Amino acid sequence: MLLPRGDYQVWENFSLTLPEDLTFGPGIHYLSGANGSGKSSMITKLLLPRLLKTSSIYCVYLEQQMQVQFTTVKAYASVVQPRKTIDSESETIDFLLDNLLCAWQKEPRPCYVVMDESLFATRVLDFLQANLPSFSLIYSAHTQLVKADQTILFEAISPTRNEVYVSRP
Amino acid sequence: MNQTDTQLVCDSGCPLCGGGTLREELLLYNIPTESYNALQAEFSSLTGKKLSTDSDVSILSGGQKVLLMCLCALFSPARKILFINLWHSLDAINRARTKELITLRQNGRDISYSEEGYAASQG
């Protein structure tokens, strides 16, 4: 998955500049930056629309503040698996990951998991490493949880523009 | 209801009460109108963003919503406050500044923290 270089107006008064193309292949991609630097905006405005348009992959997105996602998944689960109870955010994540694994076992495709400051990041990573031979994990956090294949840094250039660039180990 | 037994619970997983304008949040926290300007100034100094009471707070970033939640709690008349996973969504600078602000505005209030999710996320 590729985000071409360029200026992206993600909000009315805020844009992200990518001086180079960003590529998200198999591996771990860590998004790092201060509060308000555009990490979530890049996820929701640039990455997810592209991922969701790609029918040849599986994509799971774990929201930063997932109360609405929790309620939605709980309602969905009550229809597709009436005996399944989901009573917490961690059970929501388990449901989504099990769903991903079932789909992958039926028909393997590249798997993308996008986590925005998830409280359950370590658990998700353990699951992916234990169950999938290859995956792309894109996560944002204020502390790096595991060694990443690429770190994507968000740096303020002006109050209305941030630059996004890659730092590789 | 015995006011000494009540606690304002602020969960960073669900930082906005209203999800509309700043005015709605301020009203829901029962913040005195004379404190509005001070709260807005603190928010601006933390984030660089200027909010009016008519500003749509749903467009703030996740961390900025958590900072706003924290400020609303500190400017509210609540005597007991519980912050859940407050630090997880804040960068290092904002964690330090928020800690200072809490110390400054504690005023003998009972402020406690639950960081189970945050601790789990740190392995």
Side-chain angles (χ1 to χ4, degrees):
Chain A
M1 217 280 296
L2 180 128
L3 276 182
R5 69 178 183 173
D7 289 319
Y8 295 89
Q9 188 84 33
V10 289
W11 297 101
E12 193 183 335
N13 293 316
F14 186 71
S15 64
L16 291 173
T17 298
L18 278 56
E20 293 175 35
D21 294 349
L22 288 183
T23 308
F24 297 90
I28 298 175
H29 311 271
Y30 170 47
L31 312 185
S32 174
N35 290 129
S37 61
K39 302 183 296 296
S40 300
S41 298
M42 190 172 100
I43 288 173
T44 57
K45 300 277 187 176
L46 304 183
L47 274 174
L48 284 177
R50 285 166 173 79
L51 289 171
L52 295 174
K53 268 190 208 162
T54 311
S55 56
S56 57
I57 62 162
Y58 296 120
C59 176
V60 171
Y61 167 49
L62 305 175
E63 289 186 19
Q64 181 176 9
Q65 284 144 354
M66 62 182 304
Q67 191 67 33
V68 173
Q69 188 172 30
F70 161 48
T71 310
T72 308
V73 171
K74 185 183 171 86
Y76 173 76
S78 72
V79 174
V80 296
Q81 291 183 36
R83 293 201 178 103
K84 179 87 181 166
T85 55
I86 293 181
D87 293 321
S88 65
E89 292 182 2
S90 66
E91 287 175 3
T92 304
I93 288 170
D94 290 344
F95 179 85
L96 292 171
L97 291 176
D98 286 343
N99 199 273
L100 171 69
L101 187 57
C102 284
W104 183 83
Q105 284 169 339
K106 277 185 198 161
E107 187 189 338
R109 294 182 195 174
C111 294
Y112 283 81
V113 176
V114 183
M115 291 191 299
D116 194 356
E117 296 187 23
S118 173
L119 285 165
F120 305 96
T122 309
R123 180 180 178 151
V124 172
L125 181 62
D126 289 346
F127 179 94
L128 296 174
Q129 287 175 331
N131 291 290
L132 294 172
S134 171
F135 56 85
S136 302
L137 174 65
I138 302 164
Y139 79 97
S140 70
H142 291 294
T143 311
Q144 185 165 2
L145 304 169
V146 287
K147 191 171 172 231
D149 295 291
Q150 68 175 358
T151 298
I152 296 161
L153 302 167
F154 292 70
E155 195 167 273
I157 302 299
S158 75
T160 58
R161 188 168 78 86
N162 277 14
E163 203 163 84
V164 183
Y165 59 94
V166 176
S167 158
R168 290 190 182 83
Chain B
M1 191 187 298
N2 182 349
Q3 288 296 312
T4 59
D5 289 339
T6 60
Q7 188 173 42
L8 175 63
V9 177
C10 301
D11 184 351
S12 72
C14 191
L16 296 184
C17 298
T21 63
L22 175 62
R23 182 181 288 105
E24 286 175 32
E25 292 298 310
L26 301 174
L27 288 171
L28 286 163
Y29 279 90
N30 197 22
I31 294 170
T33 47
E34 58 270 24
S35 300
Y36 285 11
N37 286 342
L39 186 150
Q40 287 163 282
E42 284 288 3
F43 185 80
S44 177
S45 107
L46 286 168
T47 65
K49 274 187 188 283
K50 290 195 186 338
L51 291 179
S52 75
T53 50
D54 291 323
S55 294
D56 177 3
V57 290
S58 69
I59 62 159
L60 296 174
S61 78
Q64 289 166 348
K65 285 175 189 164
V66 171
L67 287 168
L68 180 61
M69 172 193 80
C70 182
L71 287 173
C72 285
L74 293 173
F75 279 81
S76 80
R79 300 303 304 162
K80 286 186 181 179
I81 302 170
L82 169 64
F83 288 115
I84 299 174
N85 295 321
L86 175 62
W87 311 118
H88 177 75
S89 302
L90 302 182
D91 61 46
I93 292 170
N94 278 329
R95 276 179 213 163
R97 294 176 77 183
T98 303
K99 280 176 189 168
E100 282 171 21
L101 196 62
I102 290 172
T103 306
L104 195 69
R105 298 199 61 91
Q106 188 155 9
N107 294 332
R109 292 189 284 186
D110 178 353
I111 297 179
S112 51
Y113 306 87
S114 167
E115 294 287 332
E116 283 178 23
Y118 177 59
S121 75
Q122 302 299 294

